[in-house]
Amino acid sequence: MQRKIIPDAENRLLILYALKTVGAMTDQQLLIVMTDTDLMNYITLQLTIADLESEGKLRRQGDTSGGTLELTDAGRYLLNSFEMHIPVSRRGLIDSGAAQWNRWRRWRFSISRTAKRGCTCASSTAETSCWTLLLHCRRANASTASSSAGSSA
């Protein structure tokens, strides 16, 4: 399968659109959103983030290695001016990825509340492990649903 080539200007808009749609995220969280939708690879993402930060379109809150990225006023202005140039199909991918990501955030929040209640397993789970666990739970739920549908037929 031939990989699609997305122009640099569109990559910039995609990152700004993802941050607008999902909200502030770390580099790793943004990487998950962009690679799960097959819109961008790691190197392109990191280079584009660095460019957007140096141009003042993105701001990093917290430390430079793990802080969250958020839009600046200049980034919002740029996105508002050119958002219609992002193909609808790619906006749809980010919108559906954002919905999944926000469900995951709510799920992650419930895990952290469980950890506060004394569950040591949940408190020691790293973010990427939680993402993997979420995908595993989805697959398990899907297989359970399909097997129960098959037994009722």
Side-chain angles (χ1 to χ4, degrees):
M1 181 169 120
Q2 186 176 358
R3 188 166 187 90
K4 57 188 166 285
I5 307 246
I6 299 175
D8 289 341
E10 190 174 318
N11 283 332
R12 291 166 182 260
L13 291 172
L14 287 170
I15 289 172
L16 296 174
Y17 185 78
L19 288 170
K20 174 189 168 195
T21 305
V22 177
M25 293 185 279
T26 65
D27 288 12
Q28 184 178 9
Q29 293 167 337
L30 187 57
L31 176 67
I32 291 169
V33 169
M34 299 309 268
T35 57
D36 279 359
T37 54
D38 198 30
L39 290 172
M40 210 171 295
N41 63 35
Y42 175 80
I43 294 184
T44 302
L45 177 71
Q46 293 304 318
L47 291 172
T48 308
I49 287 173
D51 288 345
L52 288 167
E53 277 186 287
S54 69
E55 294 169 0
K57 308 291 193 263
L58 293 180
R59 172 182 43 239
R60 189 178 299 272
Q61 297 288 41
D63 68 48
T64 56
S65 62
T68 58
L69 293 167
E70 58 185 33
L71 290 173
T72 62
D73 289 338
R76 265 187 284 290
Y77 179 78
L78 177 68
L79 182 61
N80 289 337
S81 299
F82 295 101
E83 185 175 333
M84 66 283 216
H85 293 287
I86 302 172
V88 173
S89 61
R90 293 196 181 112
R91 276 186 278 160
L93 288 171
I94 290 175
D95 291 341
S96 66
Q100 290 175 351
W101 186 253
N102 287 325
R103 279 194 301 275
W104 178 81
R105 279 184 171 172
R106 286 191 300 276
W107 179 78
R108 177 73 175 123
F109 178 73
S110 70
I111 283 185
S112 66
R113 284 195 344 232
T114 303
K116 290 178 184 174
R117 288 187 219 132
C119 175
T120 56
C121 173
S123 63
S124 64
T125 306
E127 184 173 294
T128 52
S129 299
C130 284
W131 183 252
T132 305
L133 183 59
L134 174 64
L135 294 176
H136 174 72
C137 290
R138 272 197 199 145
R139 287 186 197 119
N141 289 339
S143 67
T144 303
S146 64
S147 65
S148 65
S151 64
S152 64

